[in-house]
Amino acid sequence: MPRRNRPDRRDEPRPVGGHGWAHAENAPDGNWLVRSVSGAATTKTYRCPGCDHEIRPGTPHVVAWPAADYGSVEDRRHWHRHCWASRGRRGPTSRRW
């Protein structure tokens, strides 16, 4: 009989709201669902609200949205990982035109 390489995770809780690999984060600025995106999975350029710089294709980053909105496209934001981690100290920047 072949060996199972994956652990049996039937007893583990499912992700909040069924959003794939998103996890819930509770912070002073609200409750968020956060998903890490690998560099290989990115094909578009996004603008980070933390630093107002581009997140180029191939760059690992996070996607965050308010937990109450269940991932509506209008509320999802793509952040550099370090910008997301330091948002409590800096907050989002105003968008340059």
Side-chain angles (χ1 to χ4, degrees):
M1 176 185 256
R3 186 178 121 211
R4 285 184 66 163
N5 290 327
R6 286 184 276 160
D8 185 13
R9 298 188 180 189
R10 283 181 260 167
D11 296 334
E12 290 184 12
R14 302 293 296 164
V16 176
H19 290 286
W21 297 105
H23 66 273
E25 284 190 19
N26 298 322
D29 62 346
N31 297 326
W32 300 91
L33 291 176
V34 181
R35 180 178 9 204
S36 291
V37 180
S38 70
T42 60
T43 58
K44 293 173 54 178
T45 299
Y46 299 99
R47 183 152 310 264
C48 175
C51 65
D52 199 37
H53 291 171
E54 289 183 345
I55 302 172
R56 299 233 175 228
T59 305
H61 62 281
V62 298
V63 179
W65 61 94
D69 291 335
Y70 302 110
S72 64
V73 174
E74 296 82 27
D75 294 327
R76 284 186 289 188
R77 296 293 175 260
H78 295 253
W79 293 70
H80 292 110
R81 289 180 178 169
H82 58 275
C83 292
W84 176 254
S86 65
R87 75 189 184 287
R89 294 186 302 273
R90 292 190 330 200
T93 60
S94 59
R95 175 94 187 218
R96 285 186 252 163
W97 298 102

